[in-house]
Amino acid sequence: MEEAPKDPSPASKADGLTLSAEEMRSLGYQAVDALVERWSTLRDQPAWRGAKREDLEGLLREDAPEDATPMEDVMRRAVDQILPVAARVDHPRFFAFVPGAPVWSSALAGFLSNGFNIFQGTWLGSSGPSFVELVVLEWFREWLGMPAGSGGLMTSGGSAANLDALMAVRERFAEVTHPVVYMSDQAHSSLAKAARVVGLGPAGVRMVPTDASTRFTAERVREVIAEDRARGRTPICVCATAGATNTGTVDPLSDLGALCREEGLWLHVDAAYGGFAVLTPEGRSALQGIGEADSITLDPHKWLFQSFETGCLMVRDVPALERGFSAKPEYLQDTEWGDDHPNFGDRGLQLSRTFRALKVWMSVQTHGLAAFRAAISRSMDLAVRAQAYIDAAPDLELLSPAALGIVCYRYSPQGSALSTEQLGTLNERIQDAVVDDGYAMVSSTRLEGAYALRLCIMNYQSTWEDVEGTLSLVQAMGARLCD
Ligand SMILES: *Cc1c(COP(=O)(O)O)cnc(C)c1O
Protein backbone atom coordinates (compact mmCIF):
# COMPACT_ATOMS: atom_id res chain seq x y z
CA MET A 1 0.00 0.00 0.00
CA GLU A 2 1.07 3.53 -0.73
CA GLU A 3 1.27 5.92 2.16
CA ALA A 4 -1.85 8.05 2.70
CA PRO A 5 -1.63 11.47 1.00
CA LYS A 6 -0.25 14.21 3.24
CA ASP A 7 -3.30 16.39 2.82
CA PRO A 8 -6.27 14.07 2.59
CA SER A 9 -8.98 16.62 1.76
CA PRO A 10 -11.04 16.97 -0.38
CA ALA A 11 -10.52 13.65 -2.14
CA SER A 12 -11.02 12.06 1.20
CA LYS A 13 -12.68 8.75 0.33
CA ALA A 14 -10.66 5.57 0.39
CA ASP A 15 -10.19 5.53 -3.41
CA GLY A 16 -8.84 9.07 -3.37
CA LEU A 17 -11.20 10.00 -6.23
CA THR A 18 -14.73 10.06 -4.83
CA LEU A 19 -15.96 13.26 -3.19
CA SER A 20 -18.75 13.63 -0.68
CA ALA A 21 -21.93 15.42 -1.75
CA GLU A 22 -20.95 18.36 0.45
CA GLU A 23 -17.50 18.61 -1.12
CA MET A 24 -18.92 18.43 -4.64
CA ARG A 25 -21.42 21.14 -3.86
CA SER A 26 -18.93 23.46 -2.27
CA LEU A 27 -16.37 23.05 -5.07
CA GLY A 28 -19.07 23.40 -7.72
CA TYR A 29 -20.22 26.68 -6.20
CA GLN A 30 -16.63 27.90 -6.16
CA ALA A 31 -16.34 27.15 -9.87
CA VAL A 32 -19.58 29.01 -10.57
CA ASP A 33 -18.38 31.97 -8.49
CA ALA A 34 -15.14 32.11 -10.50
CA LEU A 35 -17.09 32.08 -13.75
CA VAL A 36 -19.59 34.71 -12.67
CA GLU A 37 -16.72 36.92 -11.53
CA ARG A 38 -15.14 36.59 -14.97
CA TRP A 39 -18.37 37.13 -16.90
CA SER A 40 -19.49 40.15 -14.92
CA THR A 41 -16.14 41.97 -15.11
CA LEU A 42 -15.28 40.97 -18.69
CA ARG A 43 -15.70 44.45 -20.14
CA ASP A 44 -13.03 45.80 -17.76
CA GLN A 45 -10.52 43.08 -18.56
CA PRO A 46 -8.07 43.22 -21.45
CA ALA A 47 -9.53 41.71 -24.62
CA TRP A 48 -6.44 39.54 -25.03
CA ARG A 49 -3.58 38.26 -22.92
CA GLY A 50 -0.78 36.06 -24.19
CA ALA A 51 2.56 34.97 -22.79
CA LYS A 52 5.85 33.71 -24.12
CA ARG A 53 6.74 30.10 -23.61
CA GLU A 54 9.64 30.92 -21.27
CA ASP A 55 7.34 32.76 -18.85
CA LEU A 56 4.94 29.83 -18.75
CA GLU A 57 7.74 27.30 -18.26
CA GLY A 58 8.68 28.88 -14.94
CA LEU A 59 5.08 29.01 -13.77
CA LEU A 60 3.61 25.74 -14.92
CA ARG A 61 6.28 23.20 -15.82
CA GLU A 62 6.15 20.37 -13.31
CA ASP A 63 5.99 16.59 -13.06
CA ALA A 64 2.59 15.02 -12.51
CA PRO A 65 2.26 14.89 -8.70
CA GLU A 66 1.84 11.53 -7.00
CA ASP A 67 0.06 13.12 -4.04
CA ALA A 68 -3.24 14.93 -3.75
CA THR A 69 -3.68 18.71 -3.45
CA PRO A 70 -6.89 20.34 -2.19
CA MET A 71 -9.05 21.08 -5.22
CA GLU A 72 -9.66 24.67 -4.07
CA ASP A 73 -5.95 25.32 -4.57
CA VAL A 74 -5.78 23.53 -7.91
CA MET A 75 -8.83 25.41 -9.18
CA ARG A 76 -7.40 28.73 -7.93
CA ARG A 77 -4.27 28.14 -9.98
CA ALA A 78 -6.33 27.32 -13.05
CA VAL A 79 -8.44 30.46 -12.62
CA ASP A 80 -5.53 32.78 -11.76
CA GLN A 81 -2.60 31.46 -13.76
CA ILE A 82 -3.89 29.53 -16.74
CA LEU A 83 -7.36 30.49 -17.91
CA PRO A 84 -6.80 34.27 -18.05
CA VAL A 85 -3.66 33.93 -20.18
CA ALA A 86 -5.73 33.68 -23.33
CA ALA A 87 -7.79 35.66 -25.76
CA ARG A 88 -11.13 36.74 -24.33
CA VAL A 89 -12.92 35.78 -27.51
CA ASP A 90 -16.19 36.76 -25.86
CA HIS A 91 -15.02 40.24 -24.84
CA PRO A 92 -17.34 42.93 -26.23
CA ARG A 93 -14.31 44.53 -27.92
CA PHE A 94 -12.87 41.33 -29.34
CA PHE A 95 -13.21 42.06 -33.07
CA ALA A 96 -10.38 39.80 -34.28
CA PHE A 97 -10.61 36.56 -36.30
CA VAL A 98 -14.10 35.27 -35.50
CA PRO A 99 -15.37 36.19 -32.03
CA GLY A 100 -17.23 33.61 -29.96
CA ALA A 101 -19.53 34.99 -27.30
CA PRO A 102 -21.60 32.29 -25.64
CA VAL A 103 -24.73 32.92 -23.62
CA TRP A 104 -24.68 31.70 -20.03
CA SER A 105 -27.32 29.08 -20.79
CA SER A 106 -24.94 27.49 -23.32
CA ALA A 107 -22.07 27.37 -20.82
CA LEU A 108 -24.37 25.78 -18.24
CA ALA A 109 -25.70 23.27 -20.77
CA GLY A 110 -22.11 22.24 -21.49
CA PHE A 111 -21.53 21.79 -17.75
CA LEU A 112 -24.72 19.75 -17.36
CA SER A 113 -24.02 17.52 -20.32
CA ASN A 114 -20.48 16.92 -19.03
CA GLY A 115 -21.83 16.18 -15.58
CA PHE A 116 -24.44 13.73 -16.87
CA ASN A 117 -21.65 12.36 -19.05
CA ILE A 118 -23.95 11.77 -21.98
CA PHE A 119 -22.67 9.34 -24.59
CA GLN A 120 -24.27 10.67 -27.75
CA GLY A 121 -22.94 8.04 -30.16
CA THR A 122 -25.92 5.66 -30.22
CA TRP A 123 -29.66 5.89 -29.62
CA LEU A 124 -29.32 3.19 -27.00
CA GLY A 125 -26.69 5.27 -25.24
CA SER A 126 -28.74 8.48 -25.26
CA SER A 127 -32.34 8.29 -26.43
CA GLY A 128 -33.56 11.56 -24.93
CA PRO A 129 -30.46 13.52 -25.97
CA SER A 130 -30.50 11.94 -29.46
CA PHE A 131 -34.10 12.99 -29.89
CA VAL A 132 -33.24 16.55 -28.83
CA GLU A 133 -30.40 16.53 -31.39
CA LEU A 134 -33.04 15.62 -34.01
CA VAL A 135 -35.25 18.46 -32.76
CA VAL A 136 -32.43 21.00 -32.99
CA LEU A 137 -31.40 19.78 -36.46
CA GLU A 138 -35.02 20.18 -37.53
CA TRP A 139 -34.96 23.79 -36.29
CA PHE A 140 -31.86 24.42 -38.39
CA ARG A 141 -33.44 22.71 -41.41
CA GLU A 142 -36.44 25.02 -41.22
CA TRP A 143 -34.38 28.15 -40.65
CA LEU A 144 -32.25 27.31 -43.71
CA GLY A 145 -35.23 26.31 -45.86
CA MET A 146 -33.87 22.83 -46.65
CA PRO A 147 -36.40 20.21 -47.79
CA ALA A 148 -38.06 17.81 -45.34
CA GLY A 149 -35.95 14.73 -44.73
CA SER A 150 -32.71 16.69 -44.58
CA GLY A 151 -30.73 16.08 -41.43
CA GLY A 152 -27.24 15.85 -40.12
CA LEU A 153 -25.30 15.96 -36.91
CA MET A 154 -23.72 18.29 -34.44
CA THR A 155 -19.93 18.42 -34.77
CA SER A 156 -16.97 19.93 -32.96
CA GLY A 157 -17.04 22.86 -35.38
CA GLY A 158 -17.05 23.99 -38.98
CA SER A 159 -13.87 22.12 -39.86
CA ALA A 160 -15.33 18.78 -38.80
CA ALA A 161 -18.59 19.59 -40.58
CA ASN A 162 -16.74 20.38 -43.83
CA LEU A 163 -14.88 17.09 -43.53
CA ASP A 164 -18.09 15.13 -42.95
CA ALA A 165 -19.67 16.88 -45.93
CA LEU A 166 -16.85 15.89 -48.27
CA MET A 167 -17.10 12.29 -47.00
CA ALA A 168 -20.77 12.26 -48.01
CA VAL A 169 -19.85 13.73 -51.40
CA ARG A 170 -17.20 11.03 -51.92
CA GLU A 171 -19.77 8.40 -51.00
CA ARG A 172 -22.36 9.75 -53.45
CA PHE A 173 -19.75 9.74 -56.25
CA ALA A 174 -17.93 6.62 -55.11
CA GLU A 175 -17.76 5.15 -58.62
CA VAL A 176 -16.18 8.20 -60.23
CA THR A 177 -12.57 8.26 -61.35
CA HIS A 178 -10.57 11.53 -61.27
CA PRO A 179 -13.14 13.40 -59.16
CA VAL A 180 -12.74 17.16 -58.72
CA VAL A 181 -14.25 19.58 -56.18
CA TYR A 182 -14.31 23.33 -56.71
CA MET A 183 -13.77 26.03 -54.16
CA SER A 184 -12.86 29.69 -54.35
CA ASP A 185 -9.63 31.27 -53.21
CA GLN A 186 -11.69 32.74 -50.35
CA ALA A 187 -12.89 29.33 -49.13
CA HIS A 188 -11.93 28.46 -45.56
CA SER A 189 -8.69 26.50 -45.21
CA SER A 190 -10.55 23.65 -43.50
CA LEU A 191 -12.12 22.72 -46.86
CA ALA A 192 -8.76 22.16 -48.50
CA LYS A 193 -7.71 20.14 -45.44
CA ALA A 194 -10.92 18.10 -45.62
CA ALA A 195 -10.32 17.39 -49.31
CA ARG A 196 -6.89 16.07 -48.39
CA VAL A 197 -8.31 13.84 -45.66
CA VAL A 198 -10.96 12.30 -47.92
CA GLY A 199 -8.21 11.51 -50.41
CA LEU A 200 -9.04 13.92 -53.20
CA GLY A 201 -5.37 14.82 -53.64
CA PRO A 202 -4.02 18.00 -55.22
CA ALA A 203 -5.51 17.14 -58.63
CA GLY A 204 -8.93 16.68 -57.03
CA VAL A 205 -9.24 20.25 -55.78
CA ARG A 206 -9.60 23.24 -58.07
CA MET A 207 -9.20 26.64 -56.45
CA VAL A 208 -11.11 29.11 -58.56
CA PRO A 209 -9.96 32.73 -58.27
CA THR A 210 -12.64 35.19 -57.16
CA ASP A 211 -13.51 38.43 -58.88
CA ALA A 212 -12.83 41.86 -57.36
CA SER A 213 -15.90 41.49 -55.13
CA THR A 214 -14.25 38.36 -53.57
CA ARG A 215 -17.07 36.12 -54.87
CA PHE A 216 -16.68 33.39 -57.37
CA THR A 217 -19.16 33.61 -60.17
CA ALA A 218 -21.15 30.75 -61.63
CA GLU A 219 -19.83 31.69 -65.12
CA ARG A 220 -16.23 31.28 -64.02
CA VAL A 221 -16.96 27.95 -62.30
CA ARG A 222 -18.83 26.77 -65.41
CA GLU A 223 -15.75 27.49 -67.55
CA VAL A 224 -13.42 25.65 -65.21
CA ILE A 225 -15.79 22.66 -65.08
CA ALA A 226 -15.87 22.50 -68.88
CA GLU A 227 -12.05 22.61 -69.00
CA ASP A 228 -11.82 19.79 -66.49
CA ARG A 229 -14.38 17.62 -68.29
CA ALA A 230 -12.38 18.11 -71.50
CA ARG A 231 -9.29 16.85 -69.64
CA GLY A 232 -11.05 13.65 -68.58
CA ARG A 233 -11.76 14.68 -65.02
CA THR A 234 -15.14 14.37 -63.33
CA PRO A 235 -16.47 17.36 -61.43
CA ILE A 236 -18.43 16.21 -58.36
CA CYS A 237 -18.94 19.14 -56.03
CA VAL A 238 -18.89 22.93 -55.77
CA CYS A 239 -18.07 24.35 -52.33
CA ALA A 240 -19.57 27.80 -51.93
CA THR A 241 -18.91 30.11 -48.99
CA ALA A 242 -21.73 31.91 -47.22
CA GLY A 243 -19.87 34.48 -45.31
CA ALA A 244 -16.18 34.40 -46.26
CA THR A 245 -14.06 34.58 -43.13
CA ASN A 246 -12.04 37.41 -44.69
CA THR A 247 -14.77 39.77 -45.78
CA GLY A 248 -18.19 38.30 -44.97
CA THR A 249 -18.97 38.06 -48.70
CA VAL A 250 -21.45 35.43 -49.85
CA ASP A 251 -21.01 33.51 -53.09
CA PRO A 252 -23.99 33.63 -55.50
CA LEU A 253 -25.77 30.63 -53.99
CA SER A 254 -28.80 30.51 -56.31
CA ASP A 255 -26.65 30.70 -59.44
CA LEU A 256 -24.30 28.05 -58.12
CA GLY A 257 -27.30 25.90 -57.15
CA ALA A 258 -28.65 26.15 -60.70
CA LEU A 259 -25.22 25.32 -62.12
CA CYS A 260 -24.89 22.26 -59.87
CA ARG A 261 -28.34 20.99 -60.84
CA GLU A 262 -27.51 21.38 -64.54
CA GLU A 263 -24.17 19.65 -64.18
CA GLY A 264 -25.32 16.97 -61.72
CA LEU A 265 -22.96 18.18 -58.99
CA TRP A 266 -23.25 18.42 -55.22
CA LEU A 267 -23.47 21.95 -53.85
CA HIS A 268 -21.85 22.32 -50.44
CA VAL A 269 -22.27 25.66 -48.69
CA ASP A 270 -19.79 26.48 -45.97
CA ALA A 271 -21.93 28.78 -43.85
CA ALA A 272 -19.89 28.30 -40.68
CA TYR A 273 -19.36 32.01 -40.54
CA GLY A 274 -22.65 33.50 -41.73
CA GLY A 275 -25.30 30.77 -41.66
CA PHE A 276 -27.30 31.95 -38.68
CA ALA A 277 -27.84 35.32 -40.31
CA VAL A 278 -30.83 33.57 -41.96
CA LEU A 279 -32.64 34.36 -38.73
CA THR A 280 -32.79 38.03 -39.77
CA PRO A 281 -34.39 39.69 -42.80
CA GLU A 282 -31.07 41.23 -43.99
CA GLY A 283 -29.27 37.93 -43.57
CA ARG A 284 -31.99 35.95 -45.29
CA SER A 285 -31.66 38.13 -48.35
CA ALA A 286 -27.84 37.92 -48.29
CA LEU A 287 -28.06 34.12 -48.06
CA GLN A 288 -30.79 33.69 -50.65
CA GLY A 289 -30.75 30.25 -52.21
CA ILE A 290 -28.95 28.56 -49.31
CA GLY A 291 -31.78 26.06 -48.82
CA GLU A 292 -31.10 24.59 -52.27
CA ALA A 293 -27.71 23.27 -51.17
CA ASP A 294 -27.01 19.55 -50.80
CA SER A 295 -25.11 20.22 -47.61
CA ILE A 296 -24.53 23.17 -45.30
CA THR A 297 -21.89 23.70 -42.63
CA LEU A 298 -23.00 25.76 -39.63
CA ASP A 299 -21.14 26.93 -36.55
CA PRO A 300 -23.49 27.60 -33.65
CA HIS A 301 -20.38 28.60 -31.63
CA LYS A 302 -20.12 31.64 -33.88
CA TRP A 303 -23.36 33.53 -34.57
CA LEU A 304 -25.68 31.46 -32.42
CA PHE A 305 -23.72 32.40 -29.30
CA GLN A 306 -22.83 28.89 -28.16
CA SER A 307 -19.68 27.89 -26.31
CA PHE A 308 -17.02 25.90 -28.20
CA GLU A 309 -17.19 23.16 -29.64
CA THR A 310 -20.60 23.47 -31.24
CA GLY A 311 -20.66 22.96 -35.00
CA CYS A 312 -23.14 21.30 -37.32
CA LEU A 313 -23.48 19.69 -40.72
CA MET A 314 -26.83 19.56 -42.52
CA VAL A 315 -27.31 17.34 -45.60
CA ARG A 316 -30.21 16.51 -47.91
CA ASP A 317 -29.02 12.97 -48.48
CA VAL A 318 -28.65 11.60 -44.96
CA PRO A 319 -28.10 8.02 -46.23
CA ALA A 320 -25.04 9.19 -48.21
CA LEU A 321 -23.60 10.64 -45.01
CA GLU A 322 -24.32 7.41 -43.14
CA ARG A 323 -22.78 5.32 -45.91
CA GLY A 324 -19.68 7.44 -45.50
CA PHE A 325 -19.32 6.71 -41.82
CA SER A 326 -21.38 3.82 -40.53
CA ALA A 327 -19.51 0.75 -39.44
CA LYS A 328 -21.25 -2.13 -37.75
CA PRO A 329 -18.82 -3.90 -35.47
CA GLU A 330 -20.09 -6.87 -33.45
CA TYR A 331 -19.67 -5.07 -30.14
CA LEU A 332 -22.27 -2.49 -31.21
CA GLN A 333 -24.87 -5.02 -32.40
CA ASP A 334 -27.26 -4.11 -29.57
CA THR A 335 -27.47 -0.53 -30.73
CA GLU A 336 -29.51 -1.04 -33.92
CA TRP A 337 -32.96 0.34 -33.15
CA GLY A 338 -34.01 0.91 -36.75
CA ASP A 339 -34.00 3.79 -39.20
CA ASP A 340 -36.11 6.11 -37.05
CA HIS A 341 -33.57 5.85 -34.28
CA PRO A 342 -30.31 7.19 -35.68
CA ASN A 343 -27.01 6.42 -34.07
CA PHE A 344 -25.26 9.75 -34.47
CA GLY A 345 -21.94 7.93 -34.35
CA ASP A 346 -22.86 6.64 -37.84
CA ARG A 347 -22.90 10.16 -39.29
CA GLY A 348 -19.38 11.28 -38.50
CA LEU A 349 -16.01 10.22 -37.20
CA GLN A 350 -16.80 10.39 -33.50
CA LEU A 351 -18.43 7.51 -31.66
CA SER A 352 -18.09 8.98 -28.18
CA ARG A 353 -19.75 12.34 -28.61
CA THR A 354 -20.80 14.99 -26.15
CA PHE A 355 -24.39 16.29 -26.12
CA ARG A 356 -23.81 19.55 -27.98
CA ALA A 357 -27.42 19.98 -29.05
CA LEU A 358 -28.39 20.62 -25.42
CA LYS A 359 -26.58 23.96 -25.56
CA VAL A 360 -28.62 25.15 -28.52
CA TRP A 361 -31.85 23.69 -27.14
CA MET A 362 -31.43 25.23 -23.69
CA SER A 363 -30.39 28.64 -24.92
CA VAL A 364 -33.10 28.98 -27.56
CA GLN A 365 -35.71 27.81 -25.04
CA THR A 366 -34.38 30.19 -22.39
CA HIS A 367 -33.96 33.38 -24.37
CA GLY A 368 -36.38 32.83 -27.26
CA LEU A 369 -35.45 33.09 -30.89
CA ALA A 370 -36.39 36.78 -31.06
CA ALA A 371 -33.44 37.68 -28.81
CA PHE A 372 -31.07 35.82 -31.15
CA ARG A 373 -32.51 37.48 -34.24
CA ALA A 374 -32.13 40.91 -32.65
CA ALA A 375 -28.54 40.26 -31.55
CA ILE A 376 -27.49 39.07 -35.02
CA SER A 377 -29.13 42.13 -36.60
CA ARG A 378 -27.35 44.37 -34.14
CA SER A 379 -23.92 43.07 -35.17
CA MET A 380 -24.73 43.64 -38.82
CA ASP A 381 -25.95 47.16 -38.05
CA LEU A 382 -22.77 47.93 -36.13
CA ALA A 383 -20.67 46.86 -39.13
CA VAL A 384 -22.73 49.13 -41.41
CA ARG A 385 -22.21 51.98 -38.94
CA ALA A 386 -18.47 51.23 -38.82
CA GLN A 387 -18.39 51.46 -42.60
CA ALA A 388 -20.12 54.87 -42.48
CA TYR A 389 -17.59 56.04 -39.87
CA ILE A 390 -14.69 54.85 -42.06
CA ASP A 391 -16.18 56.47 -45.16
CA ALA A 392 -16.51 59.77 -43.29
CA ALA A 393 -13.05 59.68 -41.66
CA PRO A 394 -10.38 61.46 -43.72
CA ASP A 395 -7.64 59.16 -42.42
CA LEU A 396 -9.41 55.80 -42.90
CA GLU A 397 -9.93 53.97 -46.18
CA LEU A 398 -12.56 51.30 -46.74
CA LEU A 399 -11.18 48.10 -48.30
CA SER A 400 -14.26 45.86 -48.17
CA PRO A 401 -17.79 47.02 -47.39
CA ALA A 402 -19.78 45.84 -44.38
CA ALA A 403 -20.95 42.28 -45.04
CA LEU A 404 -22.44 40.03 -42.36
CA GLY A 405 -20.68 41.89 -39.57
CA ILE A 406 -17.24 42.26 -41.21
CA VAL A 407 -15.56 45.45 -42.47
CA CYS A 408 -12.00 45.75 -43.80
CA TYR A 409 -10.16 49.05 -43.96
CA ARG A 410 -6.81 50.68 -43.40
CA TYR A 411 -5.34 53.80 -41.90
CA SER A 412 -4.36 56.07 -44.74
CA PRO A 413 -3.38 59.60 -43.72
CA GLN A 414 -4.93 62.27 -45.87
CA GLY A 415 -2.67 63.79 -48.50
CA SER A 416 0.13 61.32 -47.91
CA ALA A 417 1.68 59.66 -50.94
CA LEU A 418 2.45 56.32 -49.29
CA SER A 419 2.73 53.28 -51.53
CA THR A 420 0.59 50.18 -50.89
CA GLU A 421 3.65 48.63 -49.31
CA GLN A 422 4.33 51.57 -47.01
CA LEU A 423 0.68 51.69 -46.02
CA GLY A 424 0.93 47.99 -45.24
CA THR A 425 3.93 48.51 -42.96
CA LEU A 426 2.24 51.44 -41.21
CA ASN A 427 -0.97 49.48 -40.64
CA GLU A 428 0.94 46.49 -39.37
CA ARG A 429 2.50 48.74 -36.74
CA ILE A 430 -0.93 50.13 -35.88
CA GLN A 431 -2.29 46.60 -35.54
CA ASP A 432 0.53 45.70 -33.10
CA ALA A 433 0.03 48.89 -31.11
CA VAL A 434 -3.72 48.31 -30.74
CA VAL A 435 -3.16 44.72 -29.58
CA ASP A 436 -0.53 45.89 -27.07
CA ASP A 437 -2.94 48.49 -25.75
CA GLY A 438 -5.42 45.80 -24.66
CA TYR A 439 -8.55 47.95 -25.01
CA ALA A 440 -9.70 45.93 -28.00
CA MET A 441 -8.49 42.90 -29.88
CA VAL A 442 -8.30 43.24 -33.65
CA SER A 443 -6.67 41.29 -36.45
CA SER A 444 -5.56 41.85 -40.00
CA THR A 445 -5.79 40.12 -43.35
CA ARG A 446 -4.78 40.65 -46.96
CA LEU A 447 -7.15 41.62 -49.74
CA GLU A 448 -5.76 41.29 -53.25
CA GLY A 449 -2.32 41.46 -51.72
CA ALA A 450 -2.96 44.65 -49.73
CA TYR A 451 -2.62 44.61 -45.94
CA ALA A 452 -6.03 45.25 -44.36
CA LEU A 453 -7.28 45.85 -40.84
CA ARG A 454 -10.43 43.88 -40.20
CA LEU A 455 -13.30 44.27 -37.76
CA CYS A 456 -15.48 41.23 -37.15
CA ILE A 457 -18.47 42.15 -35.03
CA MET A 458 -20.29 39.14 -33.65
CA ASN A 459 -20.88 39.63 -29.94
CA TYR A 460 -24.34 40.27 -28.55
CA GLN A 461 -22.83 42.63 -25.98
CA SER A 462 -20.80 44.82 -28.34
CA THR A 463 -22.05 48.40 -28.54
CA TRP A 464 -21.40 51.29 -30.90
CA GLU A 465 -19.13 52.81 -28.21
CA ASP A 466 -16.99 49.66 -28.38
CA VAL A 467 -16.73 49.85 -32.17
CA GLU A 468 -16.17 53.59 -32.32
CA GLY A 469 -13.65 53.43 -29.48
CA THR A 470 -11.69 50.83 -31.42
CA LEU A 471 -11.74 52.79 -34.68
CA SER A 472 -10.66 55.97 -32.92
CA LEU A 473 -7.87 54.06 -31.19
CA VAL A 474 -6.67 52.97 -34.63
CA GLN A 475 -6.75 56.60 -35.76
CA ALA A 476 -4.88 57.76 -32.66
CA MET A 477 -2.21 55.08 -33.03
CA GLY A 478 -1.88 55.92 -36.72
CA ALA A 479 -1.47 59.63 -36.03
CA ARG A 480 1.13 58.90 -33.35
CA LEU A 481 3.13 56.62 -35.64
CA CYS A 482 3.07 59.19 -38.46
CA ASP A 483 4.34 61.96 -36.21
C1 LIG B 1 -14.74 29.34 -38.69
C2 LIG B 1 -14.92 28.80 -40.04
C3 LIG B 1 -14.65 27.44 -40.32
C4 LIG B 1 -13.99 26.53 -39.32
O1 LIG B 1 -14.81 26.27 -38.24
P1 LIG B 1 -14.22 25.74 -36.84
O2 LIG B 1 -15.44 25.77 -35.99
O3 LIG B 1 -13.18 26.71 -36.42
O4 LIG B 1 -13.68 24.39 -37.06
C5 LIG B 1 -14.94 26.97 -41.57
N1 LIG B 1 -15.44 27.78 -42.52
C6 LIG B 1 -15.70 29.09 -42.29
C7 LIG B 1 -16.26 29.93 -43.39
C8 LIG B 1 -15.44 29.64 -41.04
O5 LIG B 1 -15.67 30.94 -40.82
Side-chain angles (χ1 to χ4, degrees):
M1 280 283 293
E2 300 259 341
E3 252 181 274
K6 281 185 234 48
D7 183 347
S9 83
S12 53
K13 296 290 180 294
D15 62 10
L17 297 173
T18 306
L19 304 191
S20 70
E22 213 25 70
E23 287 162 337
M24 286 194 285
R25 203 166 275 125
S26 152
L27 290 162
Y29 291 155
Q30 287 175 43
V32 168
D33 284 343
L35 282 182
V36 172
E37 172 69 16
R38 178 197 181 273
W39 281 52
S40 54
T41 60
L42 190 55
R43 186 174 275 286
D44 306 320
Q45 298 174 29
W48 174 81
R49 232 181 99 192
K52 283 267 165 56
R53 167 99 184 220
E54 61 254 35
D55 302 327
L56 297 171
E57 287 279 355
L59 205 57
L60 296 166
R61 168 74 59 199
E62 58 203 321
D63 293 332
E66 207 57 49
D67 295 336
T69 305
M71 201 193 297
E72 286 92 328
D73 300 349
V74 178
M75 202 151 58
R76 210 10 73 219
R77 274 185 81 194
V79 168
D80 292 347
Q81 299 181 347
I82 305 169
L83 292 162
V85 190
R88 285 152 184 73
V89 192
D90 47 349
H91 192 288
R93 288 184 301 276
F94 188 98
F95 300 122
F97 314 110
V98 180
V103 286
W104 183 241
S105 43
S106 180
L108 286 189
F111 179 62
L112 285 174
S113 106
N114 274 346
F116 276 80
N117 202 28
I118 296 303
F119 173 86
Q120 183 88 325
T122 61
W123 193 278
L124 177 147
S126 58
S127 304
S130 293
F131 190 74
V132 165
E133 184 156 345
L134 288 177
V135 168
V136 166
L137 294 170
E138 189 62 11
W139 290 352
F140 293 170
R141 184 190 71 73
E142 283 183 2
W143 300 350
L144 294 163
M146 292 181 90
S150 306
L153 82 165
M154 305 295 294
T155 64
S156 59
S159 306
N162 281 335
L163 175 65
D164 295 349
L166 288 192
M167 272 299 281
V169 173
R170 281 295 263 151
E171 205 48 49
R172 162 84 73 80
F173 296 94
E175 308 303 320
V176 160
T177 49
H178 307 304
V180 188
V181 303
Y182 299 83
M183 57 188 76
S184 90
D185 56 13
Q186 295 296 308
H188 192 267
S189 56
S190 59
L191 270 170
K193 273 201 228 175
R196 237 186 284 159
V197 176
V198 305
L200 282 160
V205 179
R206 273 291 287 255
M207 292 281 181
V208 182
T210 51
D211 63 10
S213 68
T214 67
R215 287 173 182 82
F216 69 177
T217 62
E219 295 74 57
R220 185 73 192 106
V221 181
R222 194 186 304 275
E223 286 165 20
V224 179
I225 285 173
E227 278 166 35
D228 283 348
R229 286 206 197 279
R231 290 162 54 223
R233 308 207 147 262
T234 312
I236 58 172
C237 173
V238 175
C239 300
T241 304
T245 322
N246 251 348
T247 54
T249 356
V250 179
D251 286 329
L253 303 178
S254 291
D255 294 354
L256 292 170
L259 168 69
C260 286
R261 280 192 299 277
E262 254 169 62
E263 298 272 350
L265 310 188
W266 181 298
L267 176 64
H268 174 63
V269 177
D270 179 359
Y273 177 78
F276 289 105
V278 291
L279 289 171
T280 68
E282 315 89 291
R284 182 168 295 281
S285 89
L287 297 170
Q288 211 194 335
I290 193 168
E292 297 163 36
D294 293 284
S295 54
I296 302 173
T297 284
L298 294 172
D299 243 349
H301 64 212
K302 290 179 179 168
W303 234 344
L304 204 62
F305 311 120
Q306 302 300 312
S307 63
F308 298 123
E309 305 174 353
T310 315
C312 177
L313 174 68
M314 295 296 299
V315 293
R316 265 173 194 248
D317 185 355
V318 178
L321 182 62
E322 293 189 343
R323 281 199 307 280
F325 285 103
S326 73
K328 310 260 178 242
E330 299 78 2
Y331 45 80
L332 289 181
Q333 65 188 6
D334 304 330
T335 67
E336 295 308 321
W337 283 35
D339 285 350
D340 277 354
H341 298 82
N343 291 328
F344 282 101
D346 287 345
R347 296 185 177 184
L349 186 67
Q350 283 187 288
L351 177 60
S352 301
R353 299 169 72 242
T354 184
F355 181 19
R356 303 179 171 103
L358 184 68
K359 299 183 191 179
V360 176
W361 185 83
M362 261 180 62
S363 49
V364 172
Q365 297 280 358
T366 301
H367 307 287
L369 211 42
F372 287 90
R373 294 184 203 279
I376 297 166
S377 280
R378 252 187 344 264
S379 341
M380 286 193 274
D381 291 348
L382 286 175
V384 169
R385 227 169 139 182
Q387 176 181 340
Y389 181 99
I390 292 163
D391 281 336
D395 51 355
L396 297 177
E397 179 191 353
L398 188 75
L399 294 180
S400 78
L404 298 180
I406 300 179
V407 191
C408 294
Y409 66 104
R410 67 184 165 197
Y411 183 77
S412 177
Q414 207 174 20
S416 83
L418 298 177
S419 66
T420 303
E421 209 145 280
Q422 288 167 321
L423 277 175
T425 312
L426 171 60
N427 279 273
E428 229 173 300
R429 292 174 65 202
I430 295 172
Q431 160 69 25
D432 290 347
V434 173
V435 172
D436 282 345
D437 182 88
Y439 169 80
M441 181 64 184
V442 292
S443 64
S444 69
T445 187
R446 281 186 184 277
L447 296 177
E448 297 184 278
Y451 186 93
L453 299 174
R454 174 176 165 281
L455 282 181
C456 183
I457 306 168
M458 201 177 241
N459 183 324
Y460 60 96
Q461 290 185 325
S462 299
T463 62
W464 173 243
E465 287 65 41
D466 293 321
V467 176
E468 188 185 29
T470 303
L471 287 167
S472 49
L473 184 63
V474 164
Q475 291 172 294
M477 295 296 187
R480 191 177 311 161
L481 287 164
C482 286
D483 243 6

